[in-house]
């Protein structure tokens, strides 16, 4: 049975209030199939039973679970390739050269889903920039989903997941087989500090960042939310820091605050310098 438009609007509001993610009209089928996943987990008898429980949920716990299950968590290792080449060829060499004094590197990978993105960065650092081993590297990855954070912290991936974007040489070097899954080595896993951060709520105290990855999440928000988050990111970036966005996430009046770097105009940005 398809959910009614009243129920669909109710779920849209629950999701929007929790995450600012906008579920476009026409996504009823998606909402229904994802609610179905929760029906079983929650021991409900049907979607209607689940919705009744949701409306009576005073703790907010079921609201959280419903919002989380509606998130699109699509991700791969080294997604889109080019941003990681830019990181390797431009950003990390520049930071390495520039930071010889205080030898600290702060990275934040926001909306990190099941962990493939931060682990790609960690492998790149470990594999290609051994000099950073002598630096104080603080690497935070975050998401709002507790379920995804649990998976990411574990660092265990299916065959299908490692087949998507992970070069064979890095699979051999940094993973071992554990039953039917591939476990990432502790030396990579322990480089990343996974935290629960909701981008549209209060952020915890974070250090000034050299690099922020904020990829493929702004697209789910309305324009005003995108702008607000980008302005907050600008405040947390060091003056010479770098921001990585997904390929289709420009055009948010971003140009007022950030300028693209020449090698990767669609995905990598610096804070615009104010001429005095
Ligand atoms: C499509 S995934 C992107 C994963 C990764 N950044 C990438 O590009 O491959 C979007 C992620 O954004 C997270 N997300 C959505 N709304 C969020 C919010 N308000 N705060 C933090 N994370 C959010 C979702 O839980 C999901 O894991």
């Amino acid at each position: 049975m398809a959910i009614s438009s009243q129920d669909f609007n109710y779920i849209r509001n629950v999701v929007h209030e929790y995450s600012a993610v906008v579920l476009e009209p026409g996504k009823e089928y998606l909402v229904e199939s994802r609610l179905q996943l929760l029906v079983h987990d929650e021991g409900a008898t049907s979607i209607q039973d689940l919705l009744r429980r949701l409306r009576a949920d005073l703790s907010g716990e079921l609201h959280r679970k419903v919002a989380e299950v509606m998130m699109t968590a699509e991700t791969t290792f080294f997604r889109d390739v080019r941003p990681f080449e830019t990181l390797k060829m431009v950003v990390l060499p520049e930071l390495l050269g520039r930071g010889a004094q205080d030898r600290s590197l702060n990275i934040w990978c926001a909306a990190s889903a099941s962990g493939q993105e931060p682990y790609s960065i960690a492998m790149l650092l470990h594999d290609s920039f051994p000099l950073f081993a002598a630096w104080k590297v603080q690497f935070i990855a975050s998401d709002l989903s507790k379920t995804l954070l649990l998976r990411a912290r574990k660092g265990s991936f299916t065959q299908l997941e490692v087949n998507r974007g992970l070069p064979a040489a890095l699979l051999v070097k940094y993973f071992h087989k554990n039953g039917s899954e591939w476990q990432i080595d502790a030396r990579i896993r322990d480089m990343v500090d996974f935290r629960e951060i909701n981008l549209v709520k209060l952020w915890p105290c974070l250090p000034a960042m050299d690099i922020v990855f904020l990829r493929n999440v702004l697209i789910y928000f309305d324009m005003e939310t995108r702008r607000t988050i980008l302005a907050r990111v600008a405040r947390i970036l060091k003056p010479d820091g770098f921001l990585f966005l997904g390929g289709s996430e420009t055009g948010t009046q971003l140009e007022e605050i950030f300028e693209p770097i020449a090698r990767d105009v669609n995905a990598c940005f610096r804070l615009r310098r104010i001429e005095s």
Side-chain angles (χ1 to χ4, degrees):
M1 183 183 73
I3 60 168
S4 66
S5 58
Q6 195 189 1
D7 288 341
F8 177 66
N9 285 334
Y10 177 64
I11 297 293
R12 284 183 77 191
N13 286 339
V14 168
V15 172
H16 190 259
E17 219 163 86
Y18 189 78
S19 65
V21 167
V22 178
L23 291 175
E24 301 292 352
K27 291 277 169 79
E28 287 83 350
Y29 70 94
L30 183 116
V31 165
E32 196 175 334
S33 63
R34 293 192 180 168
L35 284 179
Q36 197 61 55
L37 298 173
L38 266 185
V39 165
H40 178 258
D41 292 356
E42 291 299 304
T45 54
S46 63
I47 288 182
Q48 288 311 319
D49 181 31
L50 187 78
L51 287 168
R52 260 192 304 278
R53 294 179 188 204
L54 183 63
R55 288 190 164 98
D57 169 41
L58 294 180
S59 71
E61 190 54 16
L62 194 51
H63 282 73
R64 177 185 70 73
K65 288 181 183 167
V66 166
E68 281 195 9
V69 84
M70 295 300 158
M71 294 298 118
T72 301
E74 164 67 13
T75 189
T76 65
F77 288 101
F78 297 95
R79 184 175 187 173
D80 302 335
V81 182
R82 196 178 169 93
F84 294 91
E85 285 174 1
T86 307
L87 185 64
K88 182 175 177 179
M89 307 305 292
V90 179
V91 172
L92 288 169
E94 185 177 321
L95 292 171
L96 197 56
R98 206 202 287 157
Q101 292 289 311
D102 76 338
R103 292 176 161 228
S104 79
L105 175 68
N106 296 332
I107 306 174
W108 179 23
C109 181
S112 57
S114 40
Q116 285 90 329
E117 184 171 62
Y119 286 139
S120 300
I121 302 169
M123 283 186 279
L124 182 74
L125 265 176
H126 193 279
D127 195 45
S128 302
F129 295 88
L131 283 175
F132 280 119
W135 286 37
K136 184 174 177 294
V137 178
Q138 201 173 354
F139 187 171
I140 295 165
S142 66
D143 202 278
L144 59 52
S145 164
K146 288 185 197 297
T147 315
L148 288 170
L149 284 166
L150 265 179
R151 283 203 54 207
R153 278 191 196 105
K154 205 166 156 215
S156 183
F157 297 93
T158 64
Q159 185 69 51
L160 199 69
E161 286 169 333
V162 298
N163 284 350
R164 296 183 71 201
L166 183 65
L170 294 182
L171 178 66
V172 171
K173 186 167 180 182
Y174 292 121
F175 290 78
H176 59 272
K177 204 79 198 276
N178 185 14
S180 62
E181 300 234 318
W182 290 91
Q183 175 63 50
I184 201 159
D185 287 0
R187 63 192 154 145
I188 300 298
R189 197 189 55 204
D190 294 347
M191 287 170 71
V192 188
D193 173 11
F194 285 98
R195 300 197 197 165
E196 186 181 330
I197 301 177
N198 187 333
L199 290 166
V200 293
K201 302 274 156 74
L202 200 67
W203 296 356
C205 187
L206 295 168
M209 293 293 168
D210 296 290
I211 302 171
V212 174
F213 267 60
L214 180 70
R215 302 181 62 227
N216 304 302
V217 61
L218 292 181
I219 39 167
Y220 301 106
F221 303 141
D222 61 33
M223 270 305 166
E224 197 184 330
T225 308
R226 295 181 198 191
R227 280 190 209 116
T228 307
I229 293 175
L230 284 172
R232 291 172 82 185
V233 168
R235 289 199 289 277
I236 209 168
L237 264 184
K238 289 185 186 171
D240 288 318
F242 296 89
L243 167 68
F244 284 87
L245 296 177
S248 53
E249 292 176 310
T250 51
T252 313
Q253 293 177 350
L254 181 74
E255 301 73 19
E256 288 172 12
I257 322 179
F258 295 99
E259 58 186 332
I261 72 158
R263 190 179 196 280
D264 201 348
V265 291
N266 288 320
C268 185
F269 303 84
R270 291 175 194 272
L271 281 174
R272 200 170 276 288
R273 285 170 207 276
I274 314 286
E275 306 295 339
S276 53

